[in-house]
């Protein structure tokens, strides 16, 4: 299926049609028919680069409904897995930007760093793309002392490599010339279209679920948003994501140095079901908050791309045709996620 039908007039995007039509994928129906921990594994398919946030949002809602209190070690490990995925999403974002501006050298470096994070994820979870690491009442596998020490070394190496290749990339004349002024989004418009996360921070929407609605160990750590000039263009969005990577790598070092001892799962009745009532939770994914609604046996998720679905066309109309791919990449819309409504 051809996703986009684009027409331009005098070098401006004059019409844009986005062909949706995959809304009837049976994800929700399949999830709701499975046992609790089996359905958690299916959650990842909603947003592979936001999979841990998706898992955690659904698990948190179910645990709240079942009145389960998970151990501190579980909360520590969940936060580690979440921050690893925030870094993974960020490197994928950089790759999309460099691909759009045809910067082949930096594209290869971004993909190499992304691959390093995939390898970290596979080592920790046993799965490269879909982590499937959370379960109701805990996690699927514990982190050994040896794995923890090795991960601390790997995170430091990743941090050093990131600073070496991307520490000052936003000041490169090529990057400045290509990204500055592309698709500016004001604070008012960002608020209206629910643009949050680092992309919203670039427009001055300084919100983060880890601060506003902290879960687990996040309530004890200081979380900061990008606070540079809120110009809201592609360059500022790039800088905001760059800031997010640096912060996530610092948080990972802190989390790994302070993992609590104790149990890594609690016993949950084998016949436990999705709780009755309505339970809404939010977990901050790479591009912004991931919402989970568990209500009377039904589960629904809403992430960045889901929220952006109704605004993509409006944002891109009138954009310089030479900047179309860059503008789209700077919004980081996952059409597969947006398809599921």
């Amino acid at each position: 299926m051809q996703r986009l039908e684009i027409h331009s007039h005098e070098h401006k995007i004059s019409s844009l049609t986005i062909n949706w039509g995959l809304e009837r994928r049976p994800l929700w129906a399949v999830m709701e028919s499975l046992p609790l921990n089996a359905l958690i594994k299916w959650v990842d398919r909603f947003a592979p680069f936001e999979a841990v946030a998706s898992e955690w949002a659904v698990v948190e809602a179910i645990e709240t409904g079942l009145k389960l209190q998970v151990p501190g070690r579980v909360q520590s490990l969940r936060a580690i897995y979440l921050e690893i995925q925030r870094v993974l999403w960020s490197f994928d974002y950089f790759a999309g930007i460099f691909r759009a501006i045809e910067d082949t050298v930096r594209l290869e470096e971004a993909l190499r760093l992304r691959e390093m994070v995939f390898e970290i994820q596979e080592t920790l979870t046993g799965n490269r793309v879909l982590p499937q690491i959370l379960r109701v009442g805990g996690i699927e596998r514990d982190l050994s002392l040896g794995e923890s020490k090795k991960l601390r070394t790997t995170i430091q190496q990743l941090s050093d490599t990131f600073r070496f290749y991307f520490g000052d990339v936003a000041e490169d004349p090529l990057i400045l010339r290509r990204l500055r002024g592309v698709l500016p989004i004001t604070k008012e418009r960002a608020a209206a279209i629910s643009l949050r996360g680092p992309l919203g921070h670039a427009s001055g929407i300084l919100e983060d679920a880890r601060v506003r609605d902290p879960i687990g160990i996040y309530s004890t750590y200081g979380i900061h948003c990008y606070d540079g000039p809120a110009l809201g263009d592609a360059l500022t969005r790039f800088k905001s994501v760059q800031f997010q990577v640096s912060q996530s790598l610092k948080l990972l070092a802190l989390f790994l140095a302070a993992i609590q001892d104790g149990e890594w799962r609690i016993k949950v009745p084998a016949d436990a079901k999705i709780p009755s009532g309505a339970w809404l939770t939010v977990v901050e994914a790479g591009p912004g908050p991931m919402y989970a609604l568990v209500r009377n046996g039904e589960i629904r998720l809403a992430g960045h791309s889901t929220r952006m679905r109704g605004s993509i066309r409006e944002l891109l109309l009138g954009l310089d045709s030479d900047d179309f791919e860059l503008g789209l990449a700077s919004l980081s819309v996952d059409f597969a996620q947006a398809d599921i409504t």
Side-chain angles (χ1 to χ4, degrees), residues 46-63:
F46 177 72
F49 283 94
E50 303 162 64
V52 173
S54 300
E55 290 183 33
W56 198 349
V58 173
V59 164
E60 188 79 13
I62 292 174
E63 289 171 346

Side-chain angles (χ1 to χ4, degrees), residues 49-103:
F49 283 94
E50 303 162 64
V52 173
S54 300
E55 290 183 33
W56 198 349
V58 173
V59 164
E60 188 79 13
I62 292 174
E63 289 171 346
T64 301
L66 295 177
K67 297 181 173 58
L68 298 177
Q69 295 290 330
V70 298
R73 183 174 183 81
V74 171
Q75 301 289 8
S76 295
L77 294 176
R78 287 178 178 180
I80 289 170
Y81 298 137
L82 180 66
E83 292 303 322
I84 287 172
Q85 273 231 311
R86 289 168 65 82
V87 175
L88 177 63
W89 173 86
S90 298
F91 288 154
D92 188 65
Y93 180 86
F94 291 148
I97 294 293
F98 295 137
R99 185 180 291 109
I101 64 175
E102 299 181 347
D103 186 339

Side-chain angles (χ1 to χ4, degrees), residues 19-32:
N19 294 314
W20 306 105
L22 301 179
E23 298 92 333
R24 295 183 180 180
R25 282 184 293 176
L27 177 62
W28 306 127
V30 170
M31 284 171 49
E32 292 159 2

Side-chain angles (χ1 to χ4, degrees), residues 230-251:
L231 303 179
D233 60 355
L235 179 62
T236 314
R237 288 190 285 277
F238 183 94
K239 289 181 176 180
S240 183
V241 175
Q242 192 177 32
F243 176 85
Q244 172 173 272
V245 173
S246 297
Q247 178 170 240
S248 289
L249 291 171
K250 290 177 182 177
L251 286 172

Side-chain angles (χ1 to χ4, degrees), residues 155-174:
I155 293 299
Q156 183 59 56
Q157 293 172 344
L158 184 63
S159 181
D160 292 341
T161 304
F162 171 70
R163 284 197 299 270
F164 180 81
Y165 285 105
F166 295 105
D168 59 355
V169 68
E171 305 306 320
D172 182 278
L174 171 64

